[in-house]
Amino acid sequence: MLTSEAKKEIFKTYGGSETNTGSAESQIAMFSKRISDLTAHLKIQPKDFSTQRSLIKLVGQRRSHLNFLMKNDIERYRAIIKQLGIRK
C-alpha cells in the first residue's frame, strides 16, 4: 500500500507536479511501483491467488497506458521506458 507522501513523490518526479495525477507518465510510474510491491509480496506468499490476479490486472493496465503513449507520442514513451527501466 502506497502512502500519500509516496504517491506525491511519484507524481512530482514523473508528472511534473504533485497535482498532475492524470498524466500517462505518472500513471505508468504508479502502476510500476505497485507491480514491484506486489511482486515482492508474491515471492514471500506464492499461494496468494487474489494478489496474483491483481498483479496481472495491473500489468495489463500499465501495458494499455504504454500502448496509448506509444501511439500518441513516441518520444515520451521512450523517455518513460528509459526512466523506469521497464524494457531492455
Side-chain angles (χ1 to χ4, degrees):
M1 189 75 160
L2 290 173
T3 62
S4 61
E5 293 83 21
K7 288 181 184 180
K8 286 181 183 178
E9 184 63 34
I10 289 173
F11 292 141
K12 187 176 181 181
T13 304
Y14 296 101
S17 71
E18 293 178 358
T19 58
N20 189 8
T21 60
S23 71
E25 290 90 348
S26 60
Q27 292 293 315
I28 292 168
M30 182 68 66
F31 287 144
S32 296
K33 174 66 174 147
R34 289 177 62 198
I35 286 169
S36 66
D37 291 345
L38 289 179
T39 303
H41 171 76
L42 282 173
K43 287 182 181 178
I44 299 168
Q45 303 289 331
K47 293 186 179 183
D48 189 356
F49 297 114
S50 62
T51 302
Q52 186 177 7
R53 184 175 191 277
S54 299
L55 175 65
I56 291 169
K57 288 180 72 153
L58 279 175
V59 169
Q61 286 178 337
R62 182 177 72 178
R63 183 73 254 162
S64 67
H65 278 76
L66 285 169
N67 286 340
F68 167 79
L69 200 57
M70 185 172 54
K71 288 178 187 175
N72 291 318
D73 193 354
I74 192 72
E75 293 304 319
R76 286 173 52 199
Y77 170 79
R78 289 179 182 150
I80 193 69
I81 291 296
K82 189 174 184 179
Q83 280 181 327
L84 294 174
I86 296 175
R87 297 280 167 208
K88 328 176 196 175

